[in-house]
Amino acid sequence: MTTLEKTVTIEETALSRLDQENRLFNAVLKGPTKKPGRFGFRGDIALKFQAQVADEKRPPDYSIEGVLTVVQAGEPTISILVGYIHSFAYLPEVAQVLSGLLTPTGTYFIFCNNIDLLAKYRVVVDGITFFVLPCDESTVWKEMTDLLSIDKNDIKKLDTAGKLDYVLDAAIGFKETYPTITVEEGIARMGPVKNRNENRPV
């Protein structure tokens, strides 16, 4: 007699609070992955909400975009998370919104639009280390597979959940010794924030 594997739900994971706060948006994946007890999320995490008028639903002012994360049922923290922010100056808000959900032993990558394209930093915020890397005219997914030297042929037959498991398992424990800078140093070095809507029709 076989025992059916219980399907993990978001309520059992460290993403539960963010879900209750309505911060999880634009999900490409929001469900169990191929690993037992593991739940995956690909989408955006709202950092700052717009003021709402009556019942009107407005998109967030800004978010951690292109998020890649997997969490284990019953564990209170997120051990791996990857995402993109439009300005390095949002990094303290990332730490604030995710406060209590990250761990000093976790692996966290934040790609950023307005830092030097050759820059790679380690930034510690409230005891949590973030690898901060440049990203311009690309995607978090492509940048991560390039960073980890993952051949797309190795994952092309996998589904969305399987690909997420594969890439994040490769990223866990990433140990590059990039220069460590403070948030203040990063803000002093960052460039202007580009307006992604300037060439779009209104």
Side-chain angles (χ1 to χ4, degrees):
M1 180 176 153
T2 58
T3 306
L4 287 174
E5 184 74 40
K6 179 177 170 288
T7 302
V8 62
T9 64
I10 197 167
E11 289 78 18
E12 302 169 80
T13 74
L15 293 176
S16 176
R17 189 190 86 202
L18 299 175
D19 195 42
Q20 290 166 8
E21 293 171 354
N22 295 317
R23 291 190 185 274
L24 304 183
F25 280 79
N26 299 332
V28 176
L29 174 72
K30 187 182 178 184
T33 73
K34 302 302 182 187
K35 300 284 184 82
R38 185 185 264 189
F39 191 94
F41 177 72
R42 279 187 71 175
D44 300 342
I45 298 175
L47 291 177
K48 183 183 178 186
F49 292 105
Q50 290 190 50
Q52 280 188 242
V53 181
D55 294 330
E56 182 189 9
K57 277 278 189 186
R58 293 188 176 188
D61 251 356
Y62 48 88
S63 307
I64 314 170
E65 300 173 24
V67 171
L68 312 173
T69 188
V70 288
V71 284
Q72 205 66 27
E75 291 186 4
T77 54
I78 300 166
S79 61
I80 176 107
L81 184 137
V82 184
Y84 166 90
I85 52 178
H86 204 48
S87 172
F88 180 92
Y90 298 160
L91 188 61
E93 279 183 88
V94 172
Q96 184 180 6
V97 166
L98 301 178
S99 178
L101 299 178
L102 305 183
T103 165
T105 57
T107 308
Y108 309 112
F109 298 84
I110 295 292
F111 289 90
C112 186
N113 177 272
N114 65 335
I115 63 172
D116 188 286
L117 288 176
L118 298 177
K120 292 179 179 178
Y121 303 132
R122 286 159 60 104
V123 186
V124 180
V125 187
D126 299 332
I128 305 298
T129 300
F130 294 92
F131 295 105
V132 180
L133 303 158
C135 180
D136 185 39
E137 307 293 328
S138 184
T139 65
V140 168
W141 184 261
K142 183 176 186 314
E143 292 292 333
M144 279 304 292
T145 53
D146 287 352
L147 182 69
L148 301 168
S149 301
I150 292 173
D151 188 325
K152 63 183 177 185
N153 291 320
D154 292 340
I155 58 174
K156 69 178 181 182
K157 291 183 179 176
L158 302 175
D159 63 10
T160 301
K163 287 175 180 172
L164 189 65
D165 279 330
Y166 189 104
V167 171
L168 293 187
D169 281 340
I172 288 171
F174 187 80
K175 287 284 189 275
E176 284 294 332
T177 53
Y178 299 145
T180 300
I181 65 167
T182 64
V183 169
E184 292 75 18
E185 287 172 322
I187 289 173
R189 295 179 190 183
M190 72 184 190
V193 176
K194 297 170 189 172
N195 179 3
R196 287 178 294 182
N197 300 316
E198 61 188 354
N199 295 320
R200 293 183 188 175
V202 175

